[in-house]
Amino acid sequence: MNEKIDFLVYCIENYKNAKGLKGREAIELFTRYRVIDYINTSYEALHTTGKDYIVEDLDIYIEARKKLDSGYEH
C-alpha cells in the first residue's frame, strides 16, 4: 500500500472509532459527502496533524458538505 492509502485507512478508522460508527456506516458517510476526495486533496496538510485534529476537521468538512448538498449555504 502507498502512504496515501495507509493514511486514508487511518482517517476512516479514527473517525469511525471516535463517532461510534460501524465500518459500513463510515464508508457510506465518507462516500456520500466525498470525504475521501477531501482527504486525498488535503493529504499534505492533514497527514502532519494528530488524530483529534483530523476527526474534528472531517466533522467540519462533513457538516459543510451537508449544508451545500441541501442547498443551505450559511
Side-chain angles (χ1 to χ4, degrees):
M1 279 204 257
N2 70 34
E3 290 178 20
K4 280 191 175 183
I5 293 173
D6 290 343
F7 183 68
L8 178 61
V9 171
Y10 173 82
C11 290
I12 293 168
E13 284 297 311
N14 282 299
Y15 191 84
K16 171 184 79 84
N17 292 337
K19 300 300 175 179
L21 300 173
K22 294 181 180 177
R24 171 178 248 149
E25 294 170 323
I27 292 297
E28 287 173 356
L29 183 69
F30 278 37
T31 300
R32 171 183 263 171
Y33 296 111
R34 297 172 291 288
V35 180
I36 293 170
D37 293 337
Y38 172 71
I39 293 169
N40 281 328
T41 59
S42 302
Y43 171 78
E44 292 301 322
L46 283 176
H47 89 279
T48 64
T49 64
K51 157 176 82 170
D52 292 337
Y53 179 89
I54 291 168
V55 170
E56 183 179 341
D57 189 65
L58 295 180
D59 262 345
I60 292 168
Y61 178 80
I62 291 167
E63 287 305 312
R65 289 296 334 166
K66 284 179 180 178
K67 289 177 183 176
L68 286 173
D69 290 354
S70 71
Y72 179 75
E73 297 184 20
H74 294 292

